[in-house]
C-alpha cells in the first residue's frame, strides 16, 4: 500500500460556526480509483456516530450493503470538506480512504522527481496541470534549440570559408 497521510475526521455538525464536538486523527490513503471516501469501524467507534442510511458499495469483484456516515474531513493543507457521506469499509494501513468525491474539488498531482514520489493536493483548483503538454513543449523547445545551434554552426562555417 501507499504512504498514509494524517487527516482529522469529525462527526459532522449542522452548526458550522462551532468547532466539532468529536474528532479523531487518522492515517488516510488517497485513492483516485475510489468513487467515494471510506472510514473504518475504529473511526466510527471513536466518533460515536450512527449511520444516516445504507448504500450498495461496489468493490473489485464484490458488492455489499454498507452503512453511510456523515463526517467532516480536515485535510493537512488546511482544507475542510464538510458534510461528506462516507461508507464503512476495511482498509489496510489506514483508517480512512479519500476518494474522488473529495479529490474532484481541487488539483491533485503525483510526481516522482529525483526518485522521490510525492503527492500534492490543493483547493480550490488554481491551474490546468498537463504533464503531457508540458513535456511536448519542453521537447519542442529542445528541438528548436538544436535547430538554432545547427543553423548557427552552418552560418559560422560559411563565414570562415
Amino acid at each position: 500500500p501507499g504512504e498514509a497521510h494524517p487527516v482529522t475526521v469529525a462527526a459532522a455538525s449542522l452548526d458550522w460556526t462551532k468547532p466539532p464536538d468529536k474528532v479523531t486523527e487518522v492515517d488516510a490513503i488517497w485513492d483516485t480509483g475510489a468513487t467515494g471516501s471510506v472510514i473504518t469501524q475504529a473511526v466510527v467507534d471513536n466518533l460515536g456516530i450512527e449511520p444516516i442510511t445504507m448504500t450498495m458499495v461496489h468493490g473489485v469483484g464484490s458488492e455489499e450493503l454498507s452503512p453511510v456516515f456523515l463526517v467532516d474531513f480536515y485535510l493537512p493543507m488546511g482544507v475542510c470538506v464538510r458534510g461528506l457521506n462516507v461508507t464503512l469499509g476495511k482498509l489496510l494501513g489506514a483508517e480512512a480512504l479519500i476518494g474522488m468525491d473529495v479529490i474532484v474539488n481541487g488539483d491533485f498531482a503525483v510526481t516522482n522527481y529525483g526518485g522521490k514520489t510525492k503527492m500534492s493536493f490543493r483547493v480550490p483548483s488554481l491551474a490546468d496541470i498537463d504533464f503531457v503538454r508540458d513535456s511536448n513543449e519542453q521537447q519542442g523547445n529542445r528541438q528548436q534549440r538544436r535547430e538554432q545551434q545547427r543553423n548557427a554552426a552552418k552560418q559560422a562555417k560559411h563565414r570562415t570559408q
Side-chain angles (χ1 to χ4, degrees):
E3 182 181 332
H5 299 268
V7 169
T8 300
V9 182
S13 168
L14 296 177
D15 185 354
W16 292 354
T17 62
K18 294 181 184 176
D21 291 330
K22 298 178 183 177
V23 300
T24 184
E25 187 166 304
V26 300
D27 285 331
I29 54 175
W30 295 71
D31 188 349
T32 59
T35 305
S37 296
V38 177
I39 57 174
T40 63
Q41 186 64 50
V43 175
V44 170
D45 294 343
N46 285 343
L47 295 176
I49 53 178
E50 297 292 328
I52 58 170
T53 191
M54 300 289 285
T55 193
M56 288 301 290
V57 173
H58 305 272
V60 178
S62 69
E63 179 180 274
E64 62 184 52
L65 195 60
S66 176
V68 177
F69 299 90
L70 188 63
V71 299
D72 299 335
F73 275 2
Y74 293 86
L75 306 176
M77 59 289 304
V79 172
C80 177
V81 182
R82 295 190 178 270
L84 190 61
N85 289 335
V86 298
T87 56
L88 180 65
K90 295 177 182 164
L91 302 170
L92 294 174
E95 295 83 36
L97 180 146
I98 300 168
M100 289 304 294
D101 55 338
V102 172
I103 296 170
V104 297
N105 292 302
D107 294 329
F108 179 81
V110 178
T111 60
N112 194 42
Y113 183 72
K116 182 169 172 75
T117 303
K118 287 187 178 181
M119 98 11 129
S120 186
F121 181 69
R122 66 181 174 203
V123 172
S125 178
L126 298 176
D128 179 42
I129 300 170
D130 187 339
F131 295 126
V132 173
R133 180 194 64 220
D134 294 349
S135 178
N136 289 340
E137 286 176 2
Q138 288 176 353
Q139 183 70 16
N141 290 342
R142 279 194 293 270
Q143 289 173 348
Q144 188 177 27
R145 282 192 304 274
R146 283 189 208 118
E147 187 64 30
Q148 289 170 346
Q149 289 169 347
R150 277 188 230 117
N151 290 339
K154 285 179 188 177
Q155 289 173 359
K157 184 177 179 182
H158 288 301
R159 275 187 248 136
T160 59
Q161 291 179 349

